[in-house]
Amino acid sequence: MAEHREFFYRRLHSLLGVVPIGIFLVQHLVVNHFAVYGEESFNKAAGFLHNLPFVLLLETFIIYLPILFHAILGVYIVFVAKNNVKRFGFFRNWMFYLQRITGIITLVFIAWHVFETRVQVALGNVDVDYSLMEGILTNPVMFWFYLIGVVSAVFHFANGLWGFFVSWGFAQSPRSQKIVTYATLIVFLFVSYIGVRTLIKFAYGV
Ligand code: HEM
């Protein structure tokens, strides 16, 4: 019975990593990328999302609760669960550990990022707009913190997609697993580019 429950929680953890959290991550980075086209474009795109009806309800069920569940079980998996990595080859072993390390980095980054933006808005201290992010990212320490956080989150998502395809049985043969490795590498490079390009615009204005 306990095993069944653990299996169910692990499945849910895996699914939530892709839907909705992974989809949200990509959507968030694409919307932020409007900054590259100028301050007004960014404010319009961010304002559209911010002014959606029932925004707090949507955020709670589509973002906060799924991330909270995924993060709590993720920390448990990293520090407590027994993992069987012997069945993987050298490359996959590395990817397995990087998945865990980037999970922890992403957790620290998201906690700080939400505190600095969403919590401050709720307290009435700031407005989330172009100048807020510009003010944060022109500080070189914060620029590197955000760069590492964004690249870690994207790596964690892209490499997690590989695990998702394999653990849900969509990629079983060695050949299909190889194809998924290349496909998720492209996802990693493409989405990282979108995220990092935006950070450079905020930090250096180019
Ligand atoms: C942007 C936020 C995040 C996204 C998009 C995300 C996405 C994913 C995806 C798609 C998977 C693969 C699921 C699978 O193996 O079937 C995964 C696995 C994992 N995530 Fe996350 N995740 C995020 C945040 C976190 C955080 C904050 C932690 C906390 C440490 C975490 C810990 C883990 C762990 C340990 C695994 C491996 C699970 C396993 O091998 O069974 N993740 N994540």
Side-chain angles (χ1 to χ4, degrees):
M1 187 60 206
E3 261 173 36
H4 280 253
R5 204 176 318 134
E6 172 155 354
F7 179 79
F8 171 75
Y9 287 146
R10 290 288 285 252
R11 279 288 99 120
L12 184 61
H13 178 259
S14 165
L15 182 65
L16 290 177
V18 180
V19 186
I21 309 173
I23 292 178
F24 169 75
L25 173 69
V26 175
Q27 178 280 128
H28 189 52
L29 295 179
V30 167
V31 168
N32 291 345
H33 187 260
F34 275 85
V36 172
Y37 307 109
E39 185 163 346
E40 204 182 313
S41 296
F42 174 80
N43 287 342
K44 224 191 255 169
F48 170 73
L49 289 181
H50 193 68
N51 294 324
L52 282 178
F54 311 113
V55 70
L56 191 63
L57 204 72
L58 287 175
E59 277 180 341
T60 305
F61 284 98
I62 298 181
I63 312 169
Y64 298 134
L65 289 180
I67 288 192
L68 205 62
F69 177 85
H70 185 92
I72 291 172
L73 193 56
V75 169
Y76 172 84
I77 293 170
V78 171
F79 293 107
V80 186
K82 291 196 184 73
N83 296 301
N84 172 16
V85 278
K86 294 222 168 66
R87 62 201 170 90
F88 295 121
F90 177 77
F91 173 70
R92 274 297 144 199
N93 247 315
W94 267 103
M95 292 298 119
F96 178 89
Y97 285 114
L98 281 176
Q99 183 69 7
R100 277 143 181 75
I101 293 165
T102 52
I104 300 297
I105 297 175
T106 304
L107 179 62
V108 173
F109 172 66
I110 292 177
W112 177 257
H113 176 58
V114 170
F115 173 76
E116 190 168 46
T117 55
R118 205 62 189 83
V119 174
Q120 296 310 314
V121 173
L123 295 175
N125 293 338
V126 295
D127 284 325
V128 169
D129 58 9
Y130 189 97
S131 54
L132 172 73
M133 294 317 296
E134 192 181 31
I136 292 170
L137 289 163
T138 41
N139 173 342
V141 175
M142 289 316 287
F143 174 75
W144 283 100
F145 177 70
Y146 266 73
L147 191 109
I148 293 168
V150 168
V151 173
S152 284
V154 176
F155 178 91
H156 185 87
F157 166 60
N159 188 45
L161 267 185
W162 186 90
F164 175 84
F165 273 97
V166 172
S167 67
W168 286 77
F170 298 126
Q172 290 183 327
S173 67
R175 188 181 132 77
S176 57
Q177 291 184 2
K178 206 173 204 173
I179 292 171
V180 177
T181 297
Y182 287 120
T184 52
L185 176 67
I186 292 171
V187 169
F188 170 64
L189 293 174
F190 183 63
V191 181
S192 291
Y193 169 77
I194 291 178
V196 172
R197 180 68 193 86
T198 308
L199 296 179
I200 291 172
K201 171 71 183 185
F202 279 121
Y204 300 102
V206 288

